[in-house]
Amino acid sequence: MVKDILDPSLLDQILDGTYPVWGEGLSRQSYGSWNRALGMTTWGREHLARVGLVEGDEVLVSAKRYLFEAQADGRPIKVLGIGAVFTPEQRRGQRLAPRLIEAMIDDGRARGCDVALLFSEIGADYYARLGFTVVERPRLTIDVPRNRRGAPAVLVRAAEPGDLPLLSEISMLYASGAGFAIDRPASLLEFGVLRRRLLAGLGPAGLRSLEFFVAEEGYRAVAYVVVSRGPGGVVLEECGDRDPTGARVGAMLESLAERDPSQLDRTMRTVWPETFRPPQLQVIKSEPSPEVMMVRSISGVAPDYSRSVYWQTDVF
């Protein structure tokens, strides 16, 4: 039976094992602080748990369980997210990971979940054998062309906690007409941003940074961007715009790029809805996302994943 792991000594055992794999350049102490802080966020307390199969004082295999809501063709559904599946080296070869995943799915079904979702870093074959199917998610490389007139006249400021409810409304505009879309309350937006902001703050100085800006009109946030910089380059983690064309997002990125006119490389990577195309930006490359999104129906609900809305900040 899958067990929620709350004992600090067992949690440390998991973190000791997973740190070499998912340490993200942090020290072991900072890696522990990062994980604990995420579990203490508003969204993390209600929707995130570390689970596993335990024998005595040994964790045989562990994973993260995410519980969240989504829409399938406009109908509400519940989703079981499975992340960070890890088997200690001395326990490998005993098919413990498949046992845990099946136990998590049974538990998710009992909780009313309709779909199980994960992101594989090891390709599709392993999880395909467990009944998961790949959802194609192209990763785009976009370019912010130089504006010969200089930075556009758009009021850009740092986002504040009070902006989050409005940004949640903007984010959910893209769920309209989608076959599958995650519900994105303010607490989930906050969680996604904090996850990356804490990673930058706890890591070595200068290794990573995160920028979270809004465009404001009439004292209200009407568009936003979340941009990270790190070892993998510049990533547009997520964005949103009350303008269906995304023109304000394009203007914001132009304005931010013009802060350093000498910068030659103005490209960034992103994953965004097919209908979102800010006119100022150029897509110069499309390739499969390195995080392979995979899904499995556990209640008979079968969303149309070819029309999915999912941002990079939602990847777990």
Side-chain angles (χ1 to χ4, degrees):
M1 178 183 297
V2 64
K3 176 180 179 179
D4 284 26
I5 299 176
L6 303 174
D7 185 291
S9 64
L10 295 182
L11 289 171
D12 277 340
Q13 189 181 132
I14 293 170
L15 294 177
D16 286 341
T18 58
Y19 171 66
V21 182
W22 295 302
E24 299 283 3
L26 302 176
S27 68
R28 170 62 183 85
Q29 180 178 358
S30 293
Y31 178 66
S33 298
W34 182 49
N35 278 273
R36 285 189 291 272
L38 292 176
M40 294 170 63
T41 61
T42 301
W43 193 87
R45 286 196 301 268
E46 297 183 6
H47 301 276
L48 170 62
R50 189 80 67 161
V51 302
L53 303 179
V54 179
E55 187 176 273
D57 60 357
E58 181 188 2
V59 180
L60 306 179
V61 59
S62 65
K64 291 180 181 179
R65 181 188 65 216
Y66 299 83
L67 298 171
F68 49 91
E69 289 73 42
Q71 298 181 33
D73 292 315
R75 294 177 291 110
I77 63 171
K78 294 185 177 181
V79 180
L80 164 68
I82 301 173
V85 179
F86 180 78
T87 307
E89 187 173 355
Q90 70 274 16
R91 287 291 185 175
R92 292 172 189 170
Q94 302 175 31
R95 292 192 56 78
L96 291 169
R99 277 180 53 195
L100 175 60
I101 290 170
E102 291 301 330
M104 291 179 70
I105 287 175
D106 288 343
D107 178 70
R109 188 180 293 112
R111 294 171 183 269
C113 293
D114 301 289
V115 170
L117 183 151
L118 57 82
F119 292 89
S120 174
E121 300 172 334
I122 57 173
D125 291 348
Y126 180 85
Y127 292 106
R129 292 194 293 270
L130 301 180
F132 288 82
T133 58
V134 173
V135 176
E136 299 294 339
R137 300 175 67 248
R139 181 178 70 175
L140 307 177
T141 299
I142 60 175
D143 181 63
V144 184
R146 295 190 180 279
N147 189 326
R148 295 182 179 180
R149 299 184 301 275
V154 57
L155 176 58
V156 178
R157 62 167 173 82
E160 301 172 353
D163 295 317
L164 289 171
L166 284 174
L167 303 188
S168 172
E169 291 179 14
I170 294 171
S171 178
M172 287 306 297
L173 294 174
Y174 304 103
S176 177
F180 175 77
I182 299 298
D183 284 350
R184 309 191 79 242
S187 59
L188 180 56
L189 267 69
E190 178 187 49
F191 178 84
V193 171
L194 280 176
R195 183 175 184 173
R196 285 149 179 79
R197 182 166 284 163
L198 287 167
L199 185 62
L202 291 168
L207 181 63
R208 294 183 176 89
S209 67
L210 186 87
E211 298 176 312
F212 184 17
F213 290 105
V214 300
E216 188 176 71
E217 291 182 6
Y219 304 104
R220 287 169 57 90
V222 292
Y224 72 101
V225 297
V226 180
V227 179
S228 67
R229 289 175 170 81
V234 182
V235 178
L236 177 59
E237 299 278 359
E238 73 167 276
C239 56
D241 196 335
R242 287 202 179 275
D243 182 342
T245 69
R248 290 194 195 94
V249 165
M252 291 177 71
L253 294 176
E254 284 183 323
S255 181
L256 295 173
E258 290 298 329
R259 291 177 301 178
D260 183 6
S262 66
Q263 183 179 349
L264 297 178
D265 186 359
R266 296 157 66 101
T267 62
M268 57 183 68
R269 299 191 311 279
T270 192
V271 175
W272 62 28
E274 289 186 2
T275 57
F276 186 76
R277 289 293 184 271
Q280 302 93 326
L281 308 180
Q282 295 180 358
V283 176
I284 58 178
K285 185 179 182 181
S286 177
E287 59 188 335
S289 173
E291 303 96 1
V292 182
M293 180 175 170
M294 303 189 71
V295 294
R296 172 176 159 182
S297 175
I298 58 178
S299 74
V301 173
D304 180 0
Y305 294 104
S306 67
R307 297 183 293 114
S308 294
V309 175
Y310 215 96
W311 300 96
Q312 200 64 27
T313 39
D314 296 322
V315 174
F316 48 80

